[in-house]
Amino acid sequence: MAAFASSADLTDKEQTLEILGDGVYALTAEGDPNIGAIEGEDFLVCFEAMATPVAARGWLERLRQHTAKPIRYLVLSHYHAVRVLGASAFDADVIIAHDNTRALIAERGQQDWDSEFGRMPRLFREPDSIPGLTWPTLTFSDRLTIQLGGARGELVLAYCGRGHTEGDIVAWLPKQRILFAGDLVEAQAALYTGDAFHRDWASGTLDSVAALGAQALVGGRGAVAHGQDAVDAAIAQTRDFLRTMLAQVGAVHEAGGTLKDAFGATHQALEPRYGRWPIFEHCMPFNVSRLWDELSGVERPVIWTAERDREVWDQLQG
Ligand SMILES: [Zn+2]
């Protein structure tokens, strides 16, 4: 049987810091979760917090080679543990997320922590350094704008609809045309859709992301997309992945097949194009299971627990 999720992936990835514009930073890591920062005139906005404070400190040390400004805002794109549990290392004045993200942390934050720790243990560097769940201190429903000061323009935090989760937000720099898309867009990495709303994500939500007209896009995982063509390709890839899933799982569901049949058909359809991309095998059982529920009328994703993770894995990858 294949090793559970990413539990056998124990090799550290190389981290690359890119400066995308004046005071705009992205750290990518060969398919590990991406992270970013944006300078205001006299403060910093950080985007995503990594899985533990110790992991986050490594990023902050690199960022501190470029700027000593204090961190006023920490923006969390969504509730997943590998993106939020390092928050205490930032010592930010304000932690921002979507209203639904705060509700999801209250509802399932602890289960998600346990689940993700089991799935991706390498990302949890020194897990005992996590002081507890991360609680946003400022939330919003539609849009929140931060004035960066000077000639830096503004940073727009926007909700584009349900997608990778029920509460994803993007961080958009309209003047620089740079977008931090969180897990709503993946460039050369597989999608995780275990907590997703596939039909909304593949249609209106991605339409809203595309309508921003970014010239550079930092997705949730994978390389930075530079230029209109690369941005379009990243969004198109994300949509194609979702549409392929919808077509394959939908056909088996409609024909009265089983979840296992749906997994086989979807895996076969996606594997030629996406099979070698980071976390593909890890994600597929959870992805197909959630879409099967969605098509069966289960409105909100069922909470993943460490136990449920293993059951679904054994059923589909076993
Ligand atoms: Zn996520």
Side-chain angles (χ1 to χ4, degrees):
M1 188 194 293
F4 172 70
S6 291
S7 62
D9 170 10
L10 299 173
T11 311
D12 274 327
K13 302 289 185 279
E14 190 178 345
Q15 298 183 330
T16 304
L17 178 70
E18 285 189 51
I19 300 177
L20 305 177
D22 184 20
V24 183
Y25 308 92
L27 188 79
T28 63
E30 302 183 294
D32 275 358
N34 294 335
I35 193 161
I38 300 117
E39 283 186 43
E41 274 301 277
D42 55 6
F43 63 91
L44 271 172
V45 182
C46 284
F47 187 77
E48 313 285 42
M50 305 186 88
T52 70
V54 168
R57 256 173 240 141
W59 148 240
L60 290 170
E61 277 165 25
R62 293 193 69 166
L63 185 60
R64 287 304 181 209
Q65 294 168 4
H66 299 274
T67 171
K69 293 174 186 174
I71 300 169
R72 186 176 298 168
Y73 302 102
L74 172 63
V75 177
L76 305 173
S77 72
H78 62 289
Y79 76 95
H80 281 150
V82 296
R83 310 234 167 226
V84 305
L85 292 179
S88 65
F90 293 77
D91 201 20
D93 296 334
V94 184
I95 300 177
I96 306 177
H98 190 266
D99 292 339
N100 293 347
T101 290
R102 179 155 60 191
L104 285 159
I105 290 168
E107 180 193 43
R108 59 182 72 194
Q110 184 63 52
Q111 291 96 325
D112 182 66
W113 178 351
D114 298 341
S115 160
E116 296 199 44
F117 181 62
R119 293 178 185 187
M120 296 169 275
R122 178 175 54 78
L123 297 182
F124 286 78
R125 278 184 58 197
E126 298 191 32
D128 291 345
S129 65
I130 303 169
L133 292 173
T134 297
W135 295 101
T137 58
L138 174 64
T139 65
F140 66 96
S141 62
D142 182 44
R143 183 178 266 254
L144 190 153
T145 301
I146 296 170
Q147 298 300 332
L148 296 172
R152 295 174 185 274
E154 59 188 25
L155 176 68
V156 178
L157 307 179
Y159 181 64
C160 296
R162 300 188 301 185
H164 170 73
T165 72
E166 211 168 344
D168 303 271
I169 56 173
V170 300
W172 167 234
L173 289 159
K175 185 178 173 192
Q176 298 86 343
R177 308 204 75 73
I178 298 169
L179 180 66
F180 291 86
D183 273 330
L184 285 177
V185 179
E186 306 295 355
Q188 295 163 32
L191 271 60
Y192 175 68
T193 74
D195 296 306
F197 295 77
H198 294 75
R199 290 167 294 189
D200 289 6
W201 188 2
S203 53
T205 302
L206 278 181
D207 290 346
S208 296
V209 173
L212 294 169
Q215 291 291 326
L217 183 150
V218 185
R221 293 171 180 261
V224 177
H226 292 280
Q228 182 80 54
D229 289 351
V231 170
D232 289 349
I235 294 170
Q237 176 234 299
T238 301
R239 207 189 294 264
D240 177 71
F241 196 109
L242 291 167
R243 282 185 175 162
T244 304
M245 284 188 64
L246 282 159
Q248 297 295 328
V249 179
V252 174
H253 194 268
E254 214 164 278
T258 65
L259 172 62
K260 179 115 181 152
D261 297 336
F263 176 80
T266 308
H267 188 286
Q268 192 174 12
L270 288 171
E271 204 276 334
R273 188 168 175 198
Y274 304 107
R276 278 176 298 281
W277 288 7
I279 68 169
F280 176 79
E281 294 295 345
H282 160 161
C283 291
M284 286 308 296
F286 310 120
N287 290 359
V288 173
S289 175
R290 165 55 192 155
L291 180 52
W292 187 263
D293 284 350
E294 186 180 329
L295 297 177
S296 304
V298 179
E299 180 64 16
R300 300 185 62 240
V302 179
I303 295 175
W304 291 105
T305 63
E307 297 73 31
R308 180 167 173 250
D309 283 5
R310 296 281 178 170
E311 280 166 26
V312 169
W313 183 271
D314 290 349
Q315 186 189 355
L316 297 180
Q317 288 282 34

